[in-house]
Amino acid sequence: MSKNAMWLTIIFAAAIVGAFLGPSLGSLLGETTMLILAPLLLVGVIVFCIWALSSNKSGKKADTAALAEARAMRTPEGKGRIYITRRGFVAALQGMNVTLDSTATGQIKSGQMLMADVEPGTHRIQVGTAKAKLANAAEMDVDVGAGGVVVIDAMIEMGALKGSVKLTRLDAAKARENVNATALILWEVAPA
């Protein structure tokens, strides 16, 4: 069982236990106390969500022509191409800061990708959440040759208190699926 499936199962079980214990806890604490605690808890959750998403940036989407060119997955002469894609629902709204070779920077959310045409060779990809306290960052070295295409999937795996970014190099079929299912976002600082 994956970590995400495990945590979803635990959350579901906790919701069922809460549904059974909630009424008895409410009668134990009293109606007045529950009327005070419930709004405070709701406000706390809203404040946490605002804090967690406060470092997100709204990346500029590429135009239709650039998106079509990216989805063709053909590299310019003598170059390699790297895609960093993000799909899935775990922390979908949390931005992921992506750095390529310590120079290019961009941010993606679920359903988005970044693309870079690079010189052949080894390149370092570093990915962390916009709020670094929410998940451990990850890095990966990828080797790409002239005419080669590498697609890296970035996702967050939840832990008990803190998630971790996980980077996976995709095979050709899954790579094409991810590239075709995501919107192309432009780099904030373009690759050199």
Side-chain angles (χ1 to χ4, degrees), residues 13-89:
I16 291 172
V17 169
F20 286 115
L21 293 181
S24 60
L25 183 62
S27 65
L28 181 66
L29 293 176
E31 187 176 321
T32 306
T33 306
M34 290 301 286
L35 287 173
I36 293 170
L37 289 179
L40 288 177
L41 180 63
L42 180 62
V43 168
V45 168
I46 291 170
V47 167
F48 174 77
C49 290
I50 290 170
W51 172 81
L53 300 176
S54 65
S55 295
N56 283 0
K57 301 172 188 169
S58 62
K60 184 177 178 190
K61 287 188 177 181
D63 60 26
T64 308
L67 179 60
E69 195 273 325
R71 287 187 174 161
M73 298 180 75
R74 286 188 297 265
T75 61
E77 188 68 33
K79 297 269 190 174
R81 182 170 281 181
I82 297 173
Y83 295 86
I84 299 98
T85 64
R86 180 149 182 234
R87 295 179 67 193
F89 66 92

Side-chain angles (χ1 to χ4, degrees), residues 62-169:
D63 60 26
T64 308
L67 179 60
E69 195 273 325
R71 287 187 174 161
M73 298 180 75
R74 286 188 297 265
T75 61
E77 188 68 33
K79 297 269 190 174
R81 182 170 281 181
I82 297 173
Y83 295 86
I84 299 98
T85 64
R86 180 149 182 234
R87 295 179 67 193
F89 66 92
V90 175
L93 295 178
Q94 178 63 48
M96 280 189 174
N97 293 332
V98 178
T99 305
L100 178 63
D101 294 332
S102 300
T103 56
T105 58
Q107 188 181 94
I108 55 175
K109 296 173 204 65
S110 186
Q112 298 178 339
M113 70 175 159
L114 291 166
M115 176 190 79
D117 292 323
V118 295
E119 295 297 324
T122 301
H123 300 275
R124 175 156 291 233
I125 299 168
Q126 298 164 307
V127 180
T129 56
K131 283 286 188 198
K133 293 179 179 181
L134 295 177
N136 297 317
E139 42 185 59
M140 170 186 260
D141 289 328
V142 295
D143 190 38
V144 60
V149 174
V150 174
V151 179
I152 304 298
D153 179 54
M155 67 176 287
I156 295 179
E157 274 193 346
M158 294 309 299
L161 299 174
K162 189 173 184 178
S164 295
V165 175
K166 181 180 176 187
L167 302 176
T168 307
R169 186 174 180 157

